[in-house]
Amino acid sequence: TTLADSFTVDITRAGIFNLSFLMPANFDVDSISGAALSQWTELKTDAGRVITLHLSGKTLGRQDFAITLAGPGVKTARGWKVPQVVLREANKQRGTLLIVPEQGMGLQTATREGYDQLDPQKSGIRLKGVLAFSLLQVPSTLTLDIDQVDPWIEVTSLQHAAVREAQLKITANLLYQIKNAGLRAFRVFIPTNAQSVHFQGEQVSDFLKMTNAITNGLQEWEVKLDRRVIGQYLLQVTYQTPIPAQAAEAALAGVQAAEVNSQRGFVTVQSDPRLQVTVDHLPTALQIAEWQSIPRNLEKDLASVSASLTYHLLDPAFQLP
């Protein structure tokens, strides 16, 4: 938790040599600056740790200071007390408080005294989840309830199958839309007989099969990233599945993004010129579509291919014979 406090002090009537405040519990000084500041010191008292700002001399007029304090982070809490810097020498203290949560955290005001809640957007703040308050008086108190917010994930996919005499070659582009909280790993189901499996995308560091994670002929894979991602993210998986010699039929299974709120998209099939590919029974999970209807941002490495068959994907758990 970072407490960054920028404040202006108006010193009237008589000059002063220092300013001081009681350090919030479990916080430490990261930095203190100001044109009129000579040095700062810390003193342990019965009331707690007192930070004193020693000024360059007897000081009058308007002076600007910046204080940054660092304290422990918070995952979830009830009635978490918001830290505050109160200048002990001030006759009156007013101001504005902004509370900015990390991605994936939700804040709710539990109790407040001496604060008036504001609309952050009216102050030009566009960040989601920010709370804004006007400080009316000191001492004042403000407590928050803090919760972890689950990510909301929607996937639009393009699964392309190239039919050859001995194999199906699959390229699947999964375009994630991630809201509320970032992700550092993805889970994807692909057929158990997939060969030469390869995942690629920005920040991908590793991918591996999950042990004891086979469902309906599909193997679960985990894709790990170097850092968390949020917003739009494109993940590509390529693999082959074998077709027996002289086979008259093959089945294309859907690539499924696991732990997502929805998956929609497209499925396309391209056949070798020497082969004739037909579909006698179209599953309800697929609906006939046109190649031109596929969004361009799904066509990574597929923009130049042609498709014999194109479908809208209504349900990712399909088997196309």
Side-chain angles (χ1 to χ4, degrees), residues 26-281:
N26 300 318
F27 275 73
D28 292 301
V29 173
D30 187 50
S31 65
I32 300 177
S33 62
L37 179 66
S38 172
Q39 61 175 340
W40 64 269
T41 58
E42 178 179 327
L43 178 66
K44 291 183 179 180
T45 68
D46 293 339
R49 298 153 60 201
V50 173
I51 303 298
T52 301
L53 282 61
H54 302 277
L55 307 181
S56 301
K58 192 174 184 179
T59 303
L60 267 169
R62 176 166 290 191
Q63 303 294 334
D64 294 323
F65 298 89
I67 296 173
T68 303
L69 308 180
V74 185
K75 286 190 175 180
T76 59
R78 289 290 177 269
W80 183 76
K81 187 174 182 180
V82 176
Q84 184 183 46
V85 170
V86 178
L87 294 179
R88 302 196 304 170
E89 293 76 17
N91 300 101
K92 185 184 292 185
Q93 184 169 330
R94 301 286 186 271
T96 303
L97 170 65
L98 298 178
I99 304 176
V100 184
E102 188 178 52
Q103 291 173 347
M105 298 178 72
L107 306 179
Q108 292 289 336
T109 303
T111 61
R112 60 183 172 93
E113 183 179 347
Y115 288 97
D116 189 15
Q117 190 154 2
L118 305 173
D119 183 350
Q121 292 194 348
K122 289 183 179 179
S123 301
I125 300 165
R126 297 291 180 259
L127 294 173
K128 288 187 177 181
V130 173
L131 299 182
F133 299 89
S134 176
L135 176 62
L136 306 177
Q137 64 185 36
V138 292
S140 55
T141 57
L142 177 64
T143 63
L144 303 175
D145 291 338
I146 303 175
D147 295 297
Q148 292 291 316
V149 180
D150 293 330
W152 180 269
I153 308 166
E154 297 176 349
V155 174
T156 307
S157 60
L158 170 56
Q159 181 175 343
H160 180 75
V163 184
R164 300 174 180 177
E165 289 187 0
Q167 65 180 13
L168 289 174
K169 184 178 181 181
I170 311 299
T171 300
N173 292 331
L174 307 174
L175 185 62
Y176 287 78
Q177 290 289 347
I178 307 162
K179 302 176 182 178
N180 297 339
L183 295 180
R184 197 169 179 175
F186 297 100
R187 301 285 181 90
V188 179
F189 282 99
I190 64 175
T192 53
N193 63 341
Q195 301 170 354
S196 303
V197 177
H198 183 73
F199 288 88
Q200 64 176 349
E202 289 187 14
Q203 305 297 328
V204 169
S205 61
D206 194 14
F207 50 89
L208 66 158
K209 288 182 180 180
M210 303 295 293
T211 57
N212 300 320
I214 296 176
T215 304
N216 297 327
L218 298 177
Q219 167 68 52
E220 187 175 16
W221 288 69
E222 182 180 44
V223 183
K224 297 180 179 180
L225 308 182
D226 287 324
R227 61 172 176 82
R228 290 183 180 273
V229 294
I230 195 168
Q232 186 169 289
Y233 181 86
L234 181 63
L235 178 68
Q236 184 184 80
V237 55
T238 57
Y239 60 90
Q240 294 93 40
T241 58
I243 298 178
Q246 306 301 319
E249 188 174 291
L252 174 65
V255 173
Q256 299 180 38
E259 300 173 348
V260 302
N261 298 94
S262 68
Q263 181 181 345
R264 296 290 186 268
F266 300 87
V267 176
T268 57
V269 179
Q270 175 189 10
S271 62
D272 187 293
R274 296 168 295 177
L275 301 176
Q276 181 180 1
V277 175
T278 58
V279 174
D280 295 328
H281 302 287

Side-chain angles (χ1 to χ4, degrees), residues 272-298:
D272 187 293
R274 296 168 295 177
L275 301 176
Q276 181 180 1
V277 175
T278 58
V279 174
D280 295 328
H281 302 287
L282 186 65
T284 57
L286 300 176
Q287 195 174 69
I288 295 175
E290 297 292 333
W291 171 267
Q292 292 80 2
S293 64
I294 300 174
R296 289 189 177 182
N297 57 358
L298 289 178

